[in-house]
């Protein structure tokens, strides 16, 4: 089971709702996808927490992420746990993002995993995520990240990695379309188009699809007050079933 470790299993509701599209994940939620976006539109503290259930089973994940801005930069922290009785995967991630121009950022995230298997002890694994994220002319979003690049030249296959490129286009305050393409080291390509629609200033609706495996994701986001948000995400897997996640976030601006 330890050999089967691939990507982080910790999931945010907005991440599930958008099929892991990093163009629409920033601030504290960027810790779940592309750390470069941690510094975007952040002037203070951003906190989020998430709970998810995998495939309508007792496989549960809980996590919390924090981001803090300073001097055109941001630091982030993500902690989480995933698994069932007898098998647990704990995660600790630290990230740093730096502005390199107007709404353009570079980021790095160090991830440490502890895998505990009842009767077999535990093992520790670490990897890195490197990212770039940019908003151009307040309309076009470019996101690129690479997870665990050392695996490209390393024979240790306990963990894998992937490269991801995302594009987003903000049509208006109400509508944004996005898509991402990724390639994992040990499997094929995946394409994940979707959109975000905001019919009201307090409500966001997400819809996205994934080609590998073929799946559909839906989500709702609520802006409850100036800083408090809530997200609900649902993913439908063609074989394993549905996954559900709920997230709460709070932003404290300076």
């Amino acid at each position: 089971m330890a050999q089967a470790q691939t990507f982080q299993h910790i999931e945010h509701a907005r991440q599930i709702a958008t099929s892991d599209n990093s163009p629409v994940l920033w601030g504290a939620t960027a810790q779940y996808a592309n750390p470069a976006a941690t510094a975007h539109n952040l002037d203070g503290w951003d906190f989020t927490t998430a709970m998810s259930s995998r495939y309508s089973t007792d496989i549960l994940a809980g996590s919390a992420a924090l981001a803090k801005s300073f001097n055109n930069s941001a630091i982030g922290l993500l902690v989480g746990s995933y698994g069932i009785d007898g098998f647990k995967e704990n995660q600790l991630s630290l990230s740093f993002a730096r502005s390199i121009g107007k709404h353009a950022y570079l980021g790095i995230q160090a991830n440490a995993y502890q895998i505990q298997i009842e009767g077999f002890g535990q093992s520790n694994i670490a990897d890195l995520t490197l990212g770039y994220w940019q908003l151009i002319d307040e309309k076009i979003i470019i996101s690129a990240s690479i997870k665990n690049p050392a695996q490209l030249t390393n024979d240790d296959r306990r963990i894998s990695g992937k490269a991801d490129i995302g594009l987003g286009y903000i049509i208006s305050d109400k509508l944004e379309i996005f898509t991402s393409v990724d390639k994992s080291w040990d499997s094929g390509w995946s394409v994940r188009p979707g959109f975000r629609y905001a019919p009201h200033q307090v409500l966001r609706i997400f819809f996205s699809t994934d080609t590998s495996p073929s799946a559909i994701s839906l989500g709702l986001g609520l802006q409850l007050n100036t800083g408090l948000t809530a997200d609900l995400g649902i993913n439908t897997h063609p074989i394993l079933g549905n996954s559900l996640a709920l997230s709460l976030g709070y932003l404290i601006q300076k």
Side-chain angles (χ1 to χ4, degrees):
M1 294 177 68
Q3 297 294 319
Q5 168 70 12
T6 52
F7 314 126
Q8 61 188 39
H9 295 298
I10 307 304
E11 295 173 319
H12 193 275
R14 199 178 308 166
Q15 182 189 18
I16 288 181
T18 60
S19 297
D20 198 19
N21 260 281
S22 55
V24 290
L25 301 172
W26 59 78
T29 60
Q31 309 302 300
Y32 295 82
N34 183 349
T38 304
H40 176 65
N41 203 29
L42 180 63
D43 185 21
W45 294 84
D46 191 17
F47 174 79
T48 189
T49 184
M51 292 290 296
S52 64
S53 171
R54 282 291 198 93
Y55 315 128
S56 302
T57 67
D58 57 352
I59 303 175
L60 302 176
S63 61
L66 177 70
K68 173 67 172 68
S69 65
F70 66 97
N71 298 332
N72 295 318
S73 303
I75 55 174
L77 171 68
L78 170 66
V79 294
S81 181
Y82 162 90
I84 57 177
D85 291 339
F87 176 83
K88 289 289 185 180
E89 177 185 298
N90 302 312
Q91 178 180 342
L92 172 64
S93 299
L94 298 173
S95 67
F96 174 77
R98 174 71 179 179
S99 173
I100 57 171
K102 185 177 181 181
H103 301 308
Y105 314 93
L106 291 176
I108 184 171
Q109 182 169 314
N111 307 299
Y113 304 96
Q114 181 187 72
I115 301 175
Q116 301 173 336
I117 304 176
E118 186 175 349
F120 291 90
Q122 67 183 40
S123 63
N124 300 309
I125 306 173
D127 65 23
L128 287 174
T129 302
L130 307 176
Y132 170 80
W133 197 97
Q134 183 176 10
L135 173 63
I136 303 173
D137 295 331
E138 305 295 332
K139 292 289 185 180
I140 301 172
I141 300 172
I142 299 174
S143 174
S145 64
I146 182 170
K147 183 174 177 60
N148 200 19
Q151 279 300 317
L152 289 172
T153 58
N154 194 325
D155 292 332
D156 183 358
R157 293 299 175 181
R158 290 182 300 169
I159 52 177
S160 184
K162 68 176 180 179
D164 184 284
I165 297 177
L167 293 173
Y169 183 70
I170 302 173
I171 298 175
S172 67
D173 291 340
K174 291 188 175 183
L175 182 62
E176 176 181 355
I177 58 175
F178 48 81
T179 190
S180 293
V181 178
D182 72 52
K183 173 65 171 70
S184 63
W185 302 161
D186 52 5
S187 63
W189 295 86
S190 173
V191 182
R192 308 183 307 280
F195 67 83
R196 174 190 61 85
Y197 177 58
H200 191 273
Q201 61 182 359
V202 302
L203 176 65
R204 300 182 302 271
I205 299 172
F206 298 97
F207 175 84
S208 59
T209 63
D210 194 340
T211 62
S212 181
S214 178
I216 295 175
S217 294
L218 300 168
L220 293 176
L222 296 175
Q223 185 73 48
L224 301 177
N225 61 29
T226 303
L228 183 62
T229 59
D231 290 282
L232 176 69
I234 301 173
N235 172 264
T236 63
H237 191 283
I239 299 175
L240 300 178
N242 300 332
S243 296
L244 177 68
L246 174 66
S247 301
L248 296 174
Y250 193 72
L251 175 64
I252 303 175
Q253 297 279 27
K254 290 181 180 179

